[in-house]
Amino acid sequence: MIAASKHKRLTFPQVPGRRSCLSLLSALLVGALFLWAQAPPETVGRIYGEDIQVHGPSSVEVEGGFSVTVLASGSNVTVRSGQARLLLAEGGEVGICGPAHFSVLKSGGAITLAIDYGRVHAKLENASPLTFYTPLIVASPVAIASGPRDVTVGLDQSGAMCVLAARGAVRIEQQLTGQSVLLPQG
């Protein structure tokens, strides 16, 4: 036999139009999510190279009789051999020495290169934020007195890494511990 509950059920007063407001809010939320999902990814820049392969959001344009790949946020790039050059949409360039594999992400003007292996050399004249991620560290170029930044980050397939700041500095942070060091230029 089930005993009757001594607890009273709470009821809330009915607000006129409450259901229509909730319906409108949920419809707006669904519409915003649909538009967000349909929005094209942000353009990172144009990549040039003879032996490159791009997966993910990108497009190919013809420029002066040559094919140029336009990278968008979320693209995966493999430079099988030789060199490639990525001209960033916000200014600056990244030289890549193959073999190399990395992914590019862009959000609100900030660019992230997630490097699996290879050597990348970034030359940045403006203050656009650029961050390099490897499996163990995060490297962020730092301008000195608003000057240009010239940074090389290399990671070979065996895990050996090198970081060089030719102009500016590089803040290197270990991903697992959060410890960081500022590597000065030169």
Side-chain angles (χ1 to χ4, degrees), residues 41 83 86 102 118 120 147-148 171:
Q83 297 181 0
L86 171 59
F102 61 94
V120 294
R171 179 168 313 283

Side-chain angles (χ1 to χ4, degrees), residues 2-171:
I2 301 175
S5 173
K6 294 182 183 179
H7 300 286
K8 291 185 179 181
R9 185 174 182 185
L10 295 176
T11 58
F12 295 98
Q14 291 294 323
V15 177
R18 182 173 144 206
R19 287 184 192 245
S20 63
C21 285
L22 288 176
S23 297
L24 178 63
L25 283 175
S26 61
L28 287 173
L29 180 61
V30 168
L33 287 173
F34 177 76
L35 288 175
W36 176 75
Q38 299 300 317
E42 292 186 64
T43 299
V44 174
R46 306 163 85 73
I47 190 164
Y48 302 83
E50 301 222 357
D51 196 9
I52 63 173
Q53 182 178 10
V54 177
H55 291 287
S58 61
S59 61
V60 177
E61 297 178 357
V62 176
E63 187 177 278
F66 296 99
S67 296
V68 177
T69 303
V70 179
L71 295 181
S73 181
S75 296
N76 290 304
V77 178
T78 302
V79 179
R80 288 179 270 214
S81 64
Q83 297 181 0
R85 189 171 82 172
L86 171 59
L87 297 179
L88 301 173
E90 275 78 25
E93 66 180 64
V94 179
I96 303 111
C97 291
H101 181 264
F102 61 94
S103 300
V104 292
L105 300 169
K106 183 177 177 185
S107 178
I111 299 171
T112 300
L113 268 72
I115 305 167
D116 290 326
Y117 58 89
R119 188 176 73 204
V120 294
H121 179 188
K123 293 180 181 180
L124 307 165
E125 297 293 327
N126 59 15
S128 296
L130 176 67
T131 305
F132 301 100
Y133 277 84
T134 72
L136 296 177
I137 64 128
V138 178
S140 304
V142 178
I144 297 176
S146 301
R149 297 166 288 163
D150 187 335
V151 173
T152 301
V153 176
L155 178 65
D156 71 15
Q157 292 176 334
S158 70
M161 182 174 14
C162 67
V163 179
L164 171 69
R167 295 181 82 182
V170 181
R171 179 168 313 283

